Amino acid sequence: MLADTDMLNKSAIASVLAVLLTAGPLTRDAFAQAVIRGQIPSMTLTPVVAPVGRDTALAPASVLGVSAALPVSAVLAPAVVPVAVQDAPQSPTVAAPAKTAALDVIQSDVAPEKKLSALNETFDNQTPIEAETDVDAGPLPHIAEPSLYRISAKLYPDEGRFTAAGHIRLTMKERRASITLHADDMEITKIVFRPRGEKTGTSIDPKTLVWDAEQGRVTIPIGSKYEGKADLYLEIAAKLNTQGAGAYLSRDSYKGKMENYDVTQFESTDARRFFPMFDEPSYKAKFDLTLDAPAWHTVLSNMPAKRETTVGDRKIVEFQRTPKMSSYLLAFVSGRYDYIAGKIDGVPVRVYGHPDRVRRQGRLALQSLKKFIRWGGEYFGKRFPLPKHDVVAVADFTAGAMENWGMNIFREESLLYDPRRSGAQAKEVVLQVVSHETAHSWFGDLVTMSWWDGLWLNEAFANYMESKAVDRFYPKVGIWKSVEAGKQGAMRVDALVETRGVQTPVKTEAEIDAIFDTITYEKGGAILHMLDHYLTEPVFQKGVQLYIKRHAYKNAAPEDLWKALADASRDPRIAEIG
């Protein structure tokens, strides 16, 4: 994922960070005064809303020459009520659990205002049960491990809600009477646990769930202790998020009318807002996704569509199964999008965006994307790993872009470029962000850090690769000047007492969010740049290829990279870096 600061004019990063780190809590007025006083030079203060953490109120963010990221209409979307899922994966035949009075109302045909009241009641009472668990903050203990998710979701953007049902194929590695996984901001309306090989399962009363709101987890009691393979079936109902996290409501205008779309942003810990999951990088699994959306929507996900059926005013799109990947890389969009297309080395490549803009402004992205995909395959020693690659420009996106495998999502300013109106800086931004996200297809998606303390493995490497790729194909851009400016900004932050290491222990969601910063991106990238020059480029590349080959479709830790570089260079001292 490319954070906001990575798409900014890097010469101003140092000044921005100095204000952020010394001014205390940052308000809109404080930031405006900083600009007026000249503490932040060459900046245009634009009202952008950006979530700070998962559940905090929306806060302003500054962006250099970039328009607002989330329109107020998206933030102020009305709350609406989920209803029971329909036409979802068939649930096992079991006796239904006892329902609460509120759940009965949600699943009935009463007036919408009564459903809203009932839904709010269920959310308010979601954590009434206190229970002892052996799961602390930080990674889950891998007692239960998923291998396949089969999820079917119905999207209702005009009503601000969605429903979903699905099976999780998993293995209980120890005898336990409960399963702990991640879920947040949803009502779980049905649960069935079925040991593999048995024809019937056990229905679990939703009232018996133990919720941990602080960690975004839920513990499901399954009755007697069990070890072995099993199937967990769940049905959920939820509101579309309005702060750009999880499955969220996006809005854009078409022919003078505002329209509602569905977009996802799951990194780092928000896949759990879409469906109950083992929402950590080390729990890699395959995904079968089916989406039911308005018929006029273009519906996209990580993989190509396997089957598409229109029924009245609805469209049902079934996607091909993904390779093993982490939950935060799952993604979809549903809305009014047009595209331009190409192909490179047999891989279809498409640039999607607003119908009025993408055909004119998407050509630089398409041209550069084809170059970066071919170069990435050559550099990493492995062809592009998926059967297609889409990039999608959306109207409101909190990050610069996101590397969802096979379908990157971008803020419009990061992907669309109008050669008649846009300047050199806008061109550099598009080239940087496209190359950054493309590099993630190998370093981050194919091979993923085991836990978030290794985030720099993903982001610093993509940051460094973006510079090498842009310099290779667009040398006149002068990318190394921007790299140097970014490095100087990171050095200023690194000189402060409050600085941290590139690799920092993290446990909570707030701690994870906090390390998407200049230390991870810029300082981490500078370290890799030094290693590349110390080992020489051919040796460094050989080590990277060895790392990719050893850990493809798996997780890795920083010491795995050092080991690969040490083996490639025949210099055991490199392995001691970590």
Side-chain angles (χ1 to χ4, degrees), residues 463-476:
N463 221 44
Y464 182 46
M465 287 296 105
E466 83 182 43
S467 306
K468 290 175 74 75
V470 173
D471 182 60
R472 167 76 177 273
F473 296 104
Y474 301 90
K476 292 183 179 179

Side-chain angles (χ1 to χ4, degrees), residues 192-245:
V192 178
F193 178 79
R194 181 177 63 84
R196 193 73 53 83
E198 294 189 10
K199 294 182 178 179
T200 59
T202 302
S203 180
I204 298 164
D205 190 338
K207 293 185 296 183
T208 64
L209 300 180
V210 180
W211 291 86
D212 181 349
E214 183 177 354
Q215 300 297 331
R217 295 170 177 168
V218 62
T219 297
I220 302 173
I222 59 174
S224 58
K225 291 185 177 182
Y226 179 77
E227 180 179 4
K229 296 182 178 180
D231 182 274
L232 182 65
Y233 175 82
L234 302 112
E235 294 182 7
I236 70 100
K239 304 173 185 177
L240 286 170
N241 187 275
T242 56
Q243 294 190 4

